[in-house]
Structures are given as C-alpha cells and as structure tokens.
Amino acid sequence: MTPAVPDVSFVLNVSLLVMLLAVAVAIAVTRSLLAAILLLSVYSFLGAAWLMVMDAADVAFTEAVVGAGVSTLVLLGALLLTRGETIKTDWKQQIGPLALVLAVGGLLIYAAAGLPGYGDPASPANSYVGRAYLQATYNDIGAPNVVTAVLASYRGFDTLGETTVIFAACIGVALMLDPGSSGAPAQASRIRPGQHIVLKVISKLLIPLIILFAFYVQFHGDLGAGGGFQAGVTLAVAVILHALVFGLDETTRAFPPHLMRAISSGGVMVYSAVGVVCILNGGGFLDYDFLFTPQLEAAIPPGLLGDPDSKHHWGQHFGILLIELGVLLTVSSTMVSIFFGFAGRAPRAASVGQGG
Amino acid sequence: MIGLETLYVAPASLVAHAPILAIVIPLLGACAAGLSPGGRSAWMICVATAVFTAWMSLATACEVMRQDAVVYVLGGFQPPLGITLRVDAIGALLGLLISVVGLLAAVVSGHSLVAEIRKEKHSLFLSGFLLCQAGLIGIVYTGDAFNAFVCLEISSIGTYALVASGGASDRRALPAAFNYLILGTIGATFYVIGIGFIYGATGTLNMVDMAARLAAHGQSAPVHAGFAFIMVGLGIKAAMFPLHGWLPGAYAYAPSLITLLLAATATKTAIYLMARFLFEVFPDGAAASEVFLTWILGPLAAAGLIVCSLQAIFEQDIRRALAFSSVAQVGFILLGFAVGGDQGLSASLFFVVAHGLIKGVLFMALGGLTIGIRARRIVDFAGIGRDAPWTVLAFSVGAASLVGTPLTMGFLAKWQMIEAALAGERYWIAAVMVAGSALTLLYVGRILEVMMFREPAPGAPRAKEAPAGVILPALVLGGISIWFGVDSSLPGQLSVAGAAGLFGVRP
Amino acid sequence: MSWFIANFNYIVVVILMMTGLFIIFSSANLIRRMIGLALFQSSTGLFYISLSKVSGGTAAIVVPPDSAEARALAAQLDPAYVAAFGVKGVVYANPLPHVLILTAIVVGVATLAVGLAIAVRVREAYGTVEAPEIDDLGRSVTEGPENGR
C-alpha cells in the first residue's frame, strides 16, 4: 500500500544525501585541518537538514546545536592548541585501510539491502514498539511530543546514563586540561577583548535573546521539538559567545570554572534524586507516578496546567520537568566547562624530547 | 558453606531496590566526590560509597539465588516499552566482583593516589573512578541492549581520561590513552551498528524479547551482519585477539589504581555481554553461532592464548608482561566459549571471576611495590622479596593462582576448562589450553624468580614494604582466591546457574 | 537500478560510515583521527534514522485527534493507508530510533571532547601530534621529568 501523493521528500532526501557524500569525501581528501573541521561543521548542518526531511525534529535540533555548534568549537580550540600543521599523506599507507573499508562496506551494503524497505510502515521496527509508544503516550504521560516522552519517561534511565556521560566528559576534560588551583588565573587569557565595537554591540543584544530562547526550548520540550539537551547547549553557546567577544576573564568572573563543575554534578544529582524520591514514595526508580505523595497531589490546584484530566499525569509532568532541569544544568555547565578548559589553556611550545 | 539464599543481608524493602541502588549509589558518590574540596574528603566519600555498593550487590546476589533472575522494572513501564534491569546468576556474581574489587581499590587509593597523581586532581580522579564503577555494574545488570551501550560508554569515557592521568608520571600514558579511546569508541560504535541491524529485523531492544523474536525470524543477512558487528565491537572492548592493540599500552602506563580496575573488571564485563549475545539473544540457527564458535572464535582465541603468552615471556616491562598475560587469559576464556554447551560455558564464567581476582591481586601488590620505587622493568624488581616480604607474598598468591597451583581458584578454573573441553570432545582445544598453561608457568616463574631469588643490582633503589593500607586489601583478595580454591561452592553455583540461565532463556 | 534506488539511503549511509573509518585508520595526525571518529559516529545516527522513516509520516508530535491539523495531515494520504498505519488518524514517524540517536549524538560529542583534551596533552608532552613521530620519541626517551600538568 503506497501513499497517494508521490514522495517529494524522497527527492530532497536524495539530494541532501548526495551533498553529505560530497562533503564527507572532501573531508577525507583535504590536506588542511582547518578546512576539515569547517567541512565537518557543514556536514553536521546538512545532516540536520536531512534529519528534518526524515521527520526527526528533535534529532535535527540536537545535531545542529551539538554537531555544528559545540563540536566545531571544541575542534577549533584543539586545533589552536596543537598548532595543526598540514598533514603529510603517504599514499602507500592508505591502501590497507582502503581495502579493509571497501570489504566491510560491501558486506554492510549487502546486509542492509536485506532490511525492510525504506519508509515501510509495516516493518518490525516501525510497527512494534515504536508504534506502541505513539499509541500509549497520551494515556500514560499526556505530553504531545512523543520523543520527549520516550526520552524522559519510558527510557528515562537511558537519559540518566546519557547525562552521566556528559558529566563524565566534564570530569575527563577537567582532569586533562584544568590548570588546578595553581597558575592559570594569573596568566593572561588567550582571548582578549577585541576592538570590534560592532561585535560587542550585537552580542549584547543577542546574548539575552539566546538565553531566553534556551529557556523557551527547555520548557516547550514536551509540547514541541526541544528539551533539556538542546536548551542546555543553547545556554552554553550564549556564555561562550560572551567569552569570545568580551574576553575569557570577564566571563570566568561571572561563571567560574569550579562553579561550572559543581553545577554539572548538581544536575546529575537532581536527576538521580528524582528517581530516589520515587523509590522512597513506594514506587520503582524513576517511576514518576510515585513522585508525589497523595497529600501533595491533593494540594495541587486543579486545572493548574490547563487540563482538568491531568490528575493522572501530575507525577509524569513534574517528573519530566525536574529531570529536564537536571539535564539542562549538567549539559550547559559541562559545555561551558569544556570550552573554558580549551580556551584557558595557553599553547605551550614543548621542546621535543622533554616532558613539557 | 553459607547458602546465599538463606543469608539475611538487608531488610526486604531495600533488597527489592538493590539492583538499581548498586548503580545509582556510585553515581551519586561520583557527584559528591566531584564536589568535594579536597582529596581526603573525596577518598572518604569514595570508600563509603564503595561499602554501600558492595552491600547492595551482595543483596542482589542473594536475591538472585532465591529466584532465578531478578528483574527490576525502571520507570514503571513494562518491557518492551520500558527499560528493565535483568540480573541473572552470573551477572550478580560479576556485580559482586566489581563492587568488592572496587571497595578494596578504593581503600588502596588512599596511598597509591598520593604517589602518582597531583593533589588537586584527586577528587576529580576518584569521581571518575566511581563513575567507572557505576557504568560497569550497569553493564552487567541491564536487560536492554541499548542501555548496555550507554553504560559501556559511561565506564569507558571516564576510563580514557583516567588512563591519561598517568601522563603525570609517564608521558607514554597519553598516546596510549588516545589509542584506547579511538579503538574503544570504534568498538562501541560497531556495537551500536549491530544493534541497529537487530532492531531493524526485530523491532525491540529488550534482550529477552529480542531472543524470542529472533527465534521466530530465522536467518537473514541483516541478522548475520548485526551478529558480526556486535561480536567485533564487544571483541574490541574485551581485548580479543587480534583486536587487543589498545590493552598493553593502557595497562602499562595508566596509574596503578586504574590498571587494577581495568584488569580485574572492564574486559570481564565485555566478555559477559558477548556471552549474553552469543548464547542468550541469538538462538542457534539465527546467526549460525555454531559455525562462528568453531571456525572463528576458537582459532582466534587459541592464537591469542599462544601468541600473547609468548609475548609475555619476552617482555621486559613487568606491567606490559602482565597485560599480555591478560590478553592471553581472555583467549583462554573464549576457548571455553568455543567448546560450547553448558559445561564449557559455566567453566568459562568461573574462570572469568577467577581471573578478575587474580589480576586484581597482582596489580594491587605491584602498585604497592611501585609506591616506593619507580621500577618498570622486571629486573628492577630483583631481590625485592627480601625488602618487602608481605607485598611479595600477596603477589605470589596471585601468581600461583594464575599458574594454576592446586588449592587456588586458578587451578580449579583451569581444571574445569580442560575437563569441559575433553567432555565436549574438542581435543585440540584441550591441547591448546595445556600449552597455554605451560607458557603461563614460564613467564610467571621468571617474574617470581627475579623477585625472590635474585640479588638486587648494586646501587639500585631499595624498595620498602608497601603501607598496610595496600597490603591488607591485596591479602584479602588473595585470601578470597585461595578460599574459593578450597571451597568453590559460591562462584561455582552461580556460574553453573548462570550458564544454565543463559541457555534456558532461549525459547 | 531499482535496487539502487530502493536501498539508496542505506548505500549512502554505509559509504559515509566507511569514509569516517577510513580517515581514522589512514591518518597519522591525532586531530584528523578525531574528525574521522566524529564522522563515523554521526553516520551511524543517519543509519538508525533511515530505519525509522515512515512514508507519508510526520514528526512524532501527537496532534489532537479530529483537529483541523490532523485532518489536513490525513487528507494528503490514501485513507486506507492512514487507517492501516496511522495512530488516531495521523501517520507518524517511528520515535524510538530518534531517542536512541539523540543519546548517541551526545555520547559522540562527549567522546570528542575527551579525545581532543588528550590530544592537546599529547602535544604538550611530545611537541607533536603526528603518530609516527610520537612513536619515535617514545623509543628514544622513555621517561621525561615530572610532566607537570
């Protein structure tokens, strides 16, 4: 059974994929590291556009902010610190990897061709658990955005793991790049306030708007595309923009690195605390229906969220709100902390043969 | 022998939530350690957390012995919509191993950290250490395939940075950590690709559900590809030959605490996941596992055992030698898988726990010895038996178990493996196992001979006895190894039940 | 040819994955290897999303049933199709792979950050980020003085 309208989105799909292919090959072939990093940013952006064509709104949002935004920042920071030289390519070195990659790729294509057809609504993937989520969400949780509902409630434990991974990255980068209590504030920060009046004025206008938008995305997450991850990265981007334009010293006065790390661990603690509270109230871990004791539920004024039937969903709604808050805290502070780690590190000319 | 079923460990309400608490408590501890101002307070948080985690994993193990497998529903949604934790017998045993080794390592960290890591980084380091533990327990307790990936990454990302922290004392830790990161992430991504194929074919992520749907699905190219990718991905994480390239560097140059944790637990969890996919999720026929076991896994594991044992014999650096020994023992374990059948699998799982304890003791004692002196090569340890008798005693217990001296757990483990191979009529596997054990004797014997019978070089720095905070945990681990060698009912029961459980899940 | 069109998505995604893998294995420069790793990981995400596409479906945000919006969405498709595969009158895309890939993207950027931090430290310790030169240095000088940070 095919839909009546020819799939215009298929044409868009094909053209975006071809563009992605071209960019990927360009990344493989180019000799300049800076070009490779910028091409990767373009790749992420094209990927986000393709994801929209595939009806994956939340994923497109995340890919755009995280892939095209934060990844590029971090890569550029690392490039500056390692004084990327042009790459020497020895074509003899590339034969082995090429052969391996062709073999694996050929097998993969052969195997993927055996998967259910593209867009098939009756495939096992699309008709079993995926479909069940769409049917059950309204009754179980009451939030329209099914992706947020699955992320925050049905598979909330995975999201706790994901938040923990971000926290682990914060710890990891701090272990590697944190100057510690000795030293760094004394040395002049690498990012100096520039002379560019235009940049400063526009940033002063934009940064509050970006922060406002971040909070909109955060709270709107269960109604439309959005959620804690996207909002957290957007918030971090506002801080990073401030640091880029006004200098690192100014920004670290407002957002000191150790406070960022504390907020990062605080976010994970908030998330886990929600789960533990659910246990203490008699349910399972992260079972939001047990988030409120019956007395608390009775105290909430009816119609608070505009839906008189929402009594069944109080726990879900507030549970999702709280864990998204935890995610926001961890993600934003980690991204800022990672940026501070790279930006606050002065490039050293290490003499070859010594330990720095 | 105490039967775990009858042991009262905690009130029932706490036991009901023990599996998730064993994962969440280290997580909260990691957050608290990250917040704490100084190394000392972080260490106390770490030890307290580790005690609680060990308690919870013991409660889970007792519960698993009472029922067949403990299923804990997360978020109040039944599978396959929600995620569940599914702890079977061997998962509980591995959880115990991780938390006990973690606890003893936490105690040891008080001394080894001071020697190897800068003071300001102590709380970050211990925070990462606890995160790693939380992730490892998550891997063995979870019942959802994608959740296993997330927990794998929690433990791995912390580990990469922790291994690189060894760069403060030896800068070779840094490229080794980078290499580990690249290969580990490729492995995890291969695993995700494999899960993608299986999801495309079955539509579910819950492992029990997957097993049921794959049995109905039968053979097809996507299922084969998914199986291959999952095996390769987990093989990289488990350091299966020839995918083990990251291991010698990471073990040799990381801080001794991290080598201890990795050697005792990280590869074991990946092996356990492999076993679950090989025997539980993919029923015979869906992925031609018979062919895989006989023609691919068996030869590769045998090659790993022989080649890496030979490399260990010729290696000059002591930690690299022990690292190659670890890869060789992983080969030994996978040979047990290749034997197939209940007996081979339960012998392998028993060996997994034995090896975890053995390497734990060895690296703990070694870490204690290197607190005083900066010794790297085996010859640097000449005559150390006289200067640090207790520490060397702990090391010797571990070494004896590795070789397979009677009365140790290592002996029982190897005996069971060879017995299973003979019972399964895989004579070539039994021959390889015997050869591997002989090679193990060679390199372990060489190390012990240098330590105890050779005169120290004139002018070489003299070692001191390791502090009590290091010797005691090492002796405790060694003692456990001997106890299980004499009376192996606890791990034995659990591994047999675990093997039966893995086979029994298949419809 | 029709086989090619039918499996176009999968073919391109596999080529993207293999490009990323090729960059990792054939590069000596550590930063370039991280770029390859990022490419490899994000292409894996594209693979999952290709699995979740439903022809004629829309983003998985449930619109109120029987609203104007729902009717407009359903009007574009064959009614029998909507009846068979729609949920409350509208056909949606499969939300589960979206959730999985959200997680994978975030894990990818975390790995990238840690990997680059390690690469920066390698540069500080060895003065270079080219792998063969690091190996040579490793063989000539085994232990440097206290490496500081």
Side-chain angles (χ1 to χ4, degrees):
Chain A
M1 240 188 270
T2 49
V5 179
D7 233 339
V8 172
S9 71
F10 187 71
V11 175
L12 271 175
N13 170 38
V14 168
S15 29
L16 281 169
L17 280 177
V18 168
M19 281 196 259
L20 278 171
L21 205 53
V23 174
V25 170
I27 297 177
V29 163
T30 182
R31 293 183 159 242
S32 153
L33 269 180
L34 181 62
I37 294 174
L38 294 174
L39 282 170
L40 191 65
S41 174
V42 172
Y43 178 89
S44 297
F45 195 67
L46 283 172
W50 179 80
L51 286 165
M52 274 313 294
V53 169
M54 303 296 276
D55 314 314
D58 285 80
V59 191
F61 200 154
T62 313
E63 175 70 25
V65 282
V66 169
V70 172
S71 294
T72 314
L73 267 172
V74 169
L75 276 166
L76 284 174
L79 181 65
L80 286 171
L81 285 174
T82 56
R83 296 289 162 81
E85 295 87 24
T86 47
I87 311 149
K88 315 157 188 131
T89 37
D90 174 16
W91 70 268
K92 276 191 285 278
Q93 239 181 357
Q94 311 203 339
I95 299 185
L98 190 62
L100 173 72
V101 166
L102 283 174
V104 174
L107 288 171
L108 263 177
I109 292 179
Y110 170 68
L115 282 168
Y118 168 73
D120 180 6
S123 69
N126 291 340
S127 59
Y128 180 35
V129 182
R131 194 95 175 284
Y133 283 132
L134 290 164
Q135 285 160 336
T137 300
Y138 195 71
N139 290 328
D140 288 339
I141 298 173
N145 186 349
V146 182
V147 173
T148 301
V150 175
L151 189 74
S153 187
Y154 287 104
R155 294 188 70 94
F157 186 60
D158 250 1
T159 311
L160 173 60
E162 187 182 345
T163 315
T164 311
V165 167
I166 300 175
F167 176 58
C170 179
I171 298 278
V173 172
L175 262 176
M176 291 288 96
L177 295 180
D178 189 48
S181 51
S182 61
Q187 37 172 269
S189 107
R190 290 192 50 234
I191 297 180
R192 296 172 202 286
Q195 320 286 41
H196 311 281
I197 297 294
V198 176
L199 276 180
K200 285 186 171 178
V201 169
I202 299 293
S203 306
K204 278 192 185 167
L205 291 173
L206 272 182
I207 289 174
L209 287 176
I210 297 176
I211 297 180
L212 188 64
F213 184 67
F215 282 118
Y216 162 75
V217 167
Q218 166 80 6
F219 290 112
H220 207 66
D222 40 355
L223 299 171
F229 294 102
Q230 299 91 331
V233 179
T234 312
L235 202 53
V237 160
V239 176
I240 293 173
L241 177 61
H242 186 271
L244 285 173
V245 173
F246 293 97
L248 199 58
D249 293 328
E250 284 257 351
T251 317
T252 40
R253 235 179 293 157
F255 298 98
H258 62 266
L259 181 65
M260 292 293 105
R261 277 210 299 281
I263 295 181
S264 186
S265 57
V268 178
M269 285 178 117
V270 166
Y271 202 129
S272 320
V274 169
V276 172
V277 165
C278 295
I279 291 184
L280 291 174
N281 284 343
F285 187 73
L286 289 178
D287 189 352
Y288 304 138
D289 289 328
F290 286 88
L291 185 61
F292 293 131
T293 53
Q295 299 93 325
L296 254 164
E297 281 213 16
I300 302 178
L304 174 70
L305 299 172
D307 178 4
D309 180 43
S310 64
K311 245 191 148 242
H312 171 62
H313 301 144
W314 282 140
Q316 295 291 340
H317 198 98
F318 281 97
I320 295 181
L321 206 66
L322 282 171
I323 63 129
E324 293 280 14
L325 176 68
V327 170
L328 173 75
L329 290 174
T330 302
V331 171
S332 57
S333 52
T334 301
M335 296 301 160
V336 171
S337 169
I338 290 176
F339 173 75
F340 283 171
F342 280 96
R345 191 109 172 149
R348 323 268 178 89
S351 41
V352 173
Q354 272 185 21
Chain B
M1 175 62 208
I2 24 167
L4 275 184
E5 305 92 62
T6 52
L7 194 64
Y8 177 75
V9 171
S13 54
L14 202 54
V15 171
H17 297 286
I20 190 62
L21 285 178
I23 302 174
V24 170
I25 297 298
L27 194 59
L28 287 172
C31 298
L35 283 171
S36 71
R40 214 63 199 160
S41 46
W43 179 71
M44 286 193 279
I45 293 176
C46 189
V47 173
T49 311
V51 168
F52 199 92
T53 312
W55 182 30
M56 284 295 105
S57 57
L58 182 63
T60 312
C62 296
E63 195 59 25
V64 166
M65 284 310 280
R66 273 180 223 122
Q67 326 166 9
D68 230 347
V70 170
V71 175
Y72 187 92
V73 173
L74 288 164
F77 298 106
Q78 292 296 326
L81 282 186
I83 299 178
T84 60
L85 300 179
R86 186 171 178 277
V87 191
D88 58 5
I90 201 64
L93 184 56
L94 278 176
L96 257 181
L97 175 71
I98 296 171
S99 51
V100 167
V101 170
L103 173 58
L104 294 171
V107 172
V108 165
S109 74
H111 292 279
S112 80
L113 272 194
V114 171
E116 295 178 13
I117 309 286
R118 287 175 63 219
K119 206 157 171 311
E120 307 84 71
K121 305 272 175 107
H122 281 191
S123 47
L124 286 173
F125 190 90
L126 288 173
S127 178
F129 174 78
L130 282 172
L131 276 177
C132 190
Q133 215 180 327
L136 288 171
I137 299 184
I139 298 173
V140 295
Y141 279 6
T142 188
D144 181 282
F146 198 80
N147 194 229
F149 162 70
V150 176
C151 291
L152 203 57
E153 284 301 279
I154 295 177
S155 63
S156 300
I157 289 189
T159 314
Y160 305 142
L162 291 172
V163 168
S165 308
S169 49
D170 183 347
R171 66 178 185 168
R172 285 173 298 179
L174 296 168
F178 190 85
N179 203 27
Y180 179 22
L181 183 145
I182 296 271
L183 285 174
T185 310
I186 292 180
T189 313
F190 271 24
Y191 175 77
V192 169
I193 296 174
I195 296 291
F197 275 109
I198 304 302
Y199 175 71
T202 61
T204 178
L205 291 169
N206 183 285
M207 291 206 241
V208 174
D209 200 18
M210 245 188 225
R213 299 199 115 217
L214 278 172
H217 185 90
Q219 301 241 14
S220 71
V223 171
H224 285 292
F227 178 71
F229 269 83
I230 292 176
M231 284 297 129
V232 170
L234 291 175
I236 296 179
K237 289 284 188 183
M240 182 172 88
F241 183 89
L243 304 164
H244 65 289
W246 57 270
L247 194 142
Y251 279 24
Y253 309 122
S256 51
L257 192 71
I258 298 306
T259 312
L260 167 63
L261 188 67
L262 285 182
T265 57
T267 44
K268 316 291 174 288
T269 54
I271 294 174
Y272 169 65
L273 260 186
M274 271 180 95
R276 278 188 83 168
F277 276 98
L278 204 46
F279 299 108
E280 180 182 5
V281 176
F282 286 94
D284 273 332
S289 18
E290 272 297 314
V291 172
F292 174 74
L293 285 177
T294 327
W295 294 106
I296 302 181
L297 190 62
L300 281 178
L305 175 55
I306 302 297
V307 169
C308 291
S309 295
L310 286 170
Q311 281 183 297
I313 293 177
F314 292 112
E315 184 58 54
Q316 294 301 322
D317 181 311
I318 192 172
R319 281 167 68 169
R320 277 182 77 97
L322 288 177
F324 279 115
S325 159
S326 281
V327 182
Q329 303 306 311
V330 167
F332 207 121
I333 295 169
L334 292 175
L335 271 179
F337 283 2
V339 168
D342 261 22
Q343 209 179 348
L345 186 58
S346 67
S348 296
L349 297 173
F350 186 84
F351 194 101
V352 164
V353 178
H355 185 239
L357 289 173
I358 291 170
K359 282 288 150 60
V361 180
L362 285 174
F363 281 110
M364 211 180 262
L366 198 59
L369 287 173
T370 49
I371 287 180
I373 56 171
R374 289 280 214 98
R376 285 243 148 241
R377 298 166 307 152
I378 298 182
V379 298
D380 294 335
F381 287 91
I384 218 170
R386 237 155 302 176
D387 300 317
W390 285 104
T391 322
V392 172
L393 173 67
F395 189 89
S396 315
V397 169
S401 199
L402 182 59
V403 165
T405 321
L407 281 192
T408 60
M409 198 178 176
F411 170 73
L412 270 183
K414 293 199 173 176
W415 183 257
Q416 284 181 0
M417 293 276 270
I418 298 179
E419 214 178 20
L422 290 173
E425 288 173 14
R426 310 289 176 107
Y427 299 113
W428 70 272
I429 291 185
V432 170
M433 286 183 182
V434 171
S437 305
L439 290 173
T440 311
L441 185 59
L442 279 177
Y443 60 76
V444 171
R446 181 171 77 117
I447 297 177
L448 283 178
E449 186 254 332
V450 166
M451 277 191 179
M452 297 206 276
F453 299 120
R454 219 179 276 186
E455 285 296 325
R462 304 302 297 261
K464 292 189 318 271
E465 188 77 75
V470 175
I471 300 182
L472 281 175
L475 286 174
V476 166
L477 264 188
I480 296 180
S481 197
I482 295 185
W483 178 24
F484 284 155
V486 171
D487 174 11
S488 72
S489 45
L490 170 58
Q493 274 174 352
L494 284 171
S495 55
V496 168
L502 282 179
F503 278 107
V505 168
R506 296 192 285 168
Chain C
M1 188 58 191
S2 65
W3 177 88
F4 186 72
I5 302 249
N7 294 304
F8 183 76
N9 268 52
Y10 298 130
I11 295 173
V12 172
V13 167
V14 168
I15 298 178
L16 290 172
M17 279 195 241
M18 292 300 113
T19 312
L21 212 54
F22 174 72
I23 297 177
I24 300 176
F25 286 137
S26 68
S27 304
N29 186 299
L30 296 187
I31 308 284
R32 193 124 186 279
R33 290 174 108 185
M34 289 308 298
I35 294 177
L37 194 68
L39 191 59
F40 180 47
Q41 282 185 302
S42 64
S43 321
T44 310
L46 305 189
F47 173 60
Y48 268 71
I49 302 291
S50 296
L51 282 175
S52 76
K53 169 78 177 171
V54 172
S55 299
T58 179
I61 300 176
V62 174
V63 295
D66 296 329
S67 67
E69 206 180 334
R71 276 193 290 272
L73 283 168
Q76 296 172 359
L77 303 168
D78 181 22
Y81 184 78
V82 173
F85 300 115
V87 174
K88 295 199 182 72
V90 183
V91 179
Y92 297 104
N94 181 357
L96 182 56
H98 299 180
V99 173
L100 303 179
I101 294 312
L102 256 171
T103 308
I105 291 176
V106 170
V107 169
V109 80
T111 312
L112 183 72
V114 175
L116 289 172
I118 298 178
V120 166
R121 287 288 302 276
V122 168
R123 171 58 168 50
E124 291 175 3
Y126 284 86
T128 172
V129 281
E130 298 283 331
E133 295 169 29
I134 297 172
D135 286 336
D136 290 333
L137 284 170
R139 271 187 278 276
S140 59
V141 180
T142 47
E143 275 180 54
E146 176 71 28
N147 187 16
R149 306 163 187 198

